[in-house]
Amino acid sequence: MQITIKDRIFNHIPPAMIAMVLAFWAFAPKSLLENPWTLTVVSPLIVIVVLLLEFVHERHSGWRMNRQEFFTDLFYVVLSATVISWFTELLAEDPLKAAKASLGITTEWAKQLPWLAQVALVIFLIEFGQYWMHRLMHNWTPFWLTHAPHHHITQLNAAKGAVGNPVELFLISLSVVALFDLEVTAIFAAINTMGVISVFAHANVRSDPPKWYSFFFTTIRHHSLHHSTDYESTRCNFGNSLILLDRIFGTYREGESVIVGQDDRKRLSIWEQTMFPFQPMIDAYKARRDKRLSGGGDEATAA
């Protein structure tokens, strides 16, 4: 297939957006960087920009956004930014900060690192935890039940990284970053950098970044293979943003998939995704209840 000028431009948009994010958090006015609403605005703005790019240079027509997918994705983006974020802070980050303070743990060395090194450290800390959590979810049934709904999506779009069971969204958000003394702008820059990578890794955008980018960072090719209907293919490319971890730990696999989904590509509703981890228990309860009622009916008939 001949590569057009448009292709070349779109292939370099992901690294260009990362450069813009880093430049913003490094050089924007202090009043803007210290505003608590800045991260709240920039994060969804990244998703919106990439969603618009889907209409400009589509990767697969079968992944084309429709009304149902848009409002489902919107629900999960808002859920992640509000409820999940609140629970993560309450149940994970605040206890870690309290433990750090009570134990007198200091990591001033981290704050003395060059700013870009701090950004890289945050990305590594978050991604390392997410990589192993992701592998655990694919290898232990209780965790798989929380993660499986994310694999039931039947198309990939920019906001699909936020779609999943609430328990999984909470588990995948956990990290140990709160134990480190770091510049706040470095943390926010890392979050937005991973946001750019992850959004493009789920997006229906015809963009194949340069080899140096795809060596370190997850792309749509890597992640679409992970979402394929083939069971073995789902057990590779676990890195949310750092495909480098898959290369290091032997779970990297080359390839791409157009057809994604699980269980005959059944699309789950929001309610079905929410209840999915509990469905085996619900089904077992219903089976026992039906058996008990059936047995009671037989006894009554015999009497």
Side-chain angles (χ1 to χ4, degrees):
M1 181 183 294
Q2 184 178 4
I3 299 178
T4 66
I5 294 177
K6 186 177 183 180
D7 291 331
R8 294 183 187 279
I9 292 173
F10 269 76
N11 289 349
H12 288 85
I13 288 179
M17 283 188 66
I18 290 177
M20 291 172 62
V21 163
L22 294 174
F24 172 80
W25 287 106
F27 303 114
K30 188 175 180 180
S31 59
L32 190 60
L33 298 178
E34 292 179 348
N35 190 316
W37 282 97
T38 301
L39 181 66
T40 306
V41 172
V42 173
S43 296
L45 184 61
I46 291 170
V47 179
I48 292 171
V49 169
V50 180
L51 275 174
L52 293 175
L53 292 178
E54 292 188 354
F55 292 97
V56 179
H57 204 35
E58 183 180 74
R59 194 175 191 89
H60 301 300
S61 60
W63 295 357
R64 190 170 297 162
M65 178 66 72
N66 57 48
R67 182 184 178 87
Q68 183 184 38
E69 294 295 332
F70 174 78
F71 283 105
T72 298
D73 293 355
L74 179 61
F75 169 83
Y76 281 106
V77 168
V78 173
L79 179 72
S80 295
T82 54
V83 177
I84 302 301
S85 179
W86 181 78
F87 271 105
T88 301
E89 185 174 355
L90 178 68
L91 301 178
E93 293 181 3
D94 286 349
L96 280 178
K97 291 176 182 178
K100 180 176 181 291
S102 64
L103 295 174
I105 299 174
T106 59
T107 56
E108 280 298 320
W109 59 268
K111 208 165 191 176
Q112 302 306 316
L113 292 172
W115 187 79
L116 277 177
Q118 292 186 48
V119 175
L121 176 61
V122 174
I123 292 174
F124 174 78
L125 290 173
I126 294 175
E127 277 295 304
F128 189 79
Q130 287 190 347
Y131 171 85
W132 288 106
M133 177 62 75
H134 196 176
R135 283 190 67 170
L136 177 65
M137 287 175 172
H138 278 264
N139 286 281
W140 192 14
T141 300
F143 284 85
W144 168 248
L145 290 174
T146 71
H147 182 56
H150 182 63
H151 278 266
H152 275 77
I153 59 178
T154 55
Q155 59 173 241
L156 293 174
N157 304 110
K160 283 295 189 291
V163 175
N165 179 268
V167 177
E168 181 220 7
L169 298 178
F170 169 74
L171 292 174
I172 211 72
S173 71
L174 301 178
S175 78
V176 295
V177 172
L179 293 176
F180 291 80
D181 299 296
L182 296 159
E183 294 287 345
V184 174
T185 54
I187 296 175
F188 289 169
I191 291 172
N192 280 161
T193 297
M194 290 185 294
V196 170
I197 300 167
S198 178
V199 167
F200 271 106
H202 288 87
N204 185 22
V205 177
R206 185 171 295 282
S207 175
D208 295 304
K211 288 185 177 179
W212 65 264
Y213 180 101
S214 60
F215 181 83
F216 292 98
F217 305 129
T218 304
T219 68
I220 184 62
R221 290 191 305 104
H222 305 135
H223 205 63
S224 65
L225 182 64
H226 177 75
H227 272 275
S228 68
T229 56
D230 171 45
Y231 172 76
E232 287 302 323
S233 295
T234 65
R235 301 175 65 78
C236 70
N237 300 350
F238 295 106
N240 185 48
S241 296
L242 286 184
I243 199 67
L244 178 63
L245 295 178
D246 287 282
R247 297 182 188 276
I248 292 172
F249 295 113
T251 52
Y252 174 77
R253 181 174 168 184
E254 186 61 43
E256 181 174 358
S257 181
V258 179
I259 307 300
V260 298
Q262 291 285 301
D263 297 339
D264 297 323
R265 303 189 70 234
K266 171 178 167 52
R267 184 189 185 280
L268 302 181
S269 67
I270 292 174
W271 176 252
E272 287 173 326
Q273 292 204 36
T274 303
M275 299 305 296
F276 193 92
F278 314 106
Q279 200 59 51
M281 291 184 290
I282 295 173
D283 291 342
Y285 167 76
K286 287 181 177 179
R288 288 195 301 268
R289 182 196 61 188
D290 292 343
K291 184 177 180 180
R292 185 173 63 251
L293 292 176
S294 175
D298 292 342
E299 292 174 4
T301 301

